[in-house]
Amino acid sequence: MHKLSFALILLVLMLSCANAPQYEDPIPPHDNFKLESSVLGETRVINVWTPPNYKTSNDSLPVIYMPDGGIVMEDFPHIANTISKLVENKSIPPIILVGIENIDRRKDLSGASEVKADEAYCPLTDGAKYFRAFITDELMPEINGKYRTTEEKGIIGESLAGLFVMETFLLKPNIFDFYIAMDPSLWWNDHYLERQAKHYLERFPNQSTRLWFAGSDTEDISIHTNNLATTLETYAPESLTWTYSDEPKEKHNTIFRATKEKALIWILNGYRD
């Protein structure tokens, strides 16, 4: 039994760093372009969804950025269709979705780790630092130049992308106005982010920021999301509006679809539960 439990935990951790199978969602109408990145030394494929009335209006819209934002075996169609439905039924205001297609998500989405065993899942080098610089220094100016955008922007991700979201929230909170993370892989680097959360929250900038995050029944994740929620209850600054959705009935591979709508509604339309 012990060996079986360990094998199941190992499988979850490996899926956190690999591209897990996705549903075959219909591909919505969207823009697509390639961006040469000097920061990453790569050409990145970018997918952009805009609301149906975007081209017939003069409105500027907020932007939500999404790692794992490719079309094939990634989450762009899934989230674009969800946002489209929520905008259509007026559950959320119109927003632009920017998906970043993966090349090596293990490298891009994980920060540095001092735990040698982590190397079995993702590189120990701080690839997230460079991926974050690509987003802020190269992608954001490109999006702002191509589209009518407001200053408000956010980011959404699950699993390893959720780890990237939470690391950005704690290390560089001024980059985005809102953050959404489902089942973030906070076990990474001996749950460093969770252990150091109090330290980062004490240095949090005095700016209005929103955070929504969730944890499934996956033990090696939920223990850390629950602990982080406890830390936030005590140390969250007044400028931070946050909520934690504990989802013990959901699994690692179901939580994104189970919680996406309420996360987006809470973040974008009046902080509903």
Side-chain angles (χ1 to χ4, degrees), residues 12 38 46 71 79 87 95 97 115 123 127 160 163 165 173 180 220 227:
V12 168
S38 59
I46 308 299
I71 300 298
I79 297 301
V87 169
I95 192 168
L97 174 67
V115 179
L160 193 61
L163 173 68
V165 170
I180 301 174
D220 274 25
N227 286 344

Side-chain angles (χ1 to χ4, degrees), residues 164-177:
F164 180 80
V165 170
M166 296 305 292
E167 183 184 84
T168 304
F169 164 72
L170 289 170
L171 271 61
K172 301 287 184 179
N174 59 324
I175 292 178
F176 296 102
D177 300 285

Side-chain angles (χ1 to χ4, degrees), residues 213-238:
F213 69 112
S216 72
D217 71 344
T218 304
E219 184 177 353
D220 274 25
I221 292 178
S222 63
I223 187 173
H224 304 307
T225 54
N226 286 324
N227 286 344
L228 179 58
T230 299
T231 301
L232 283 162
E233 287 174 357
T234 303
Y235 297 103
E238 292 185 3

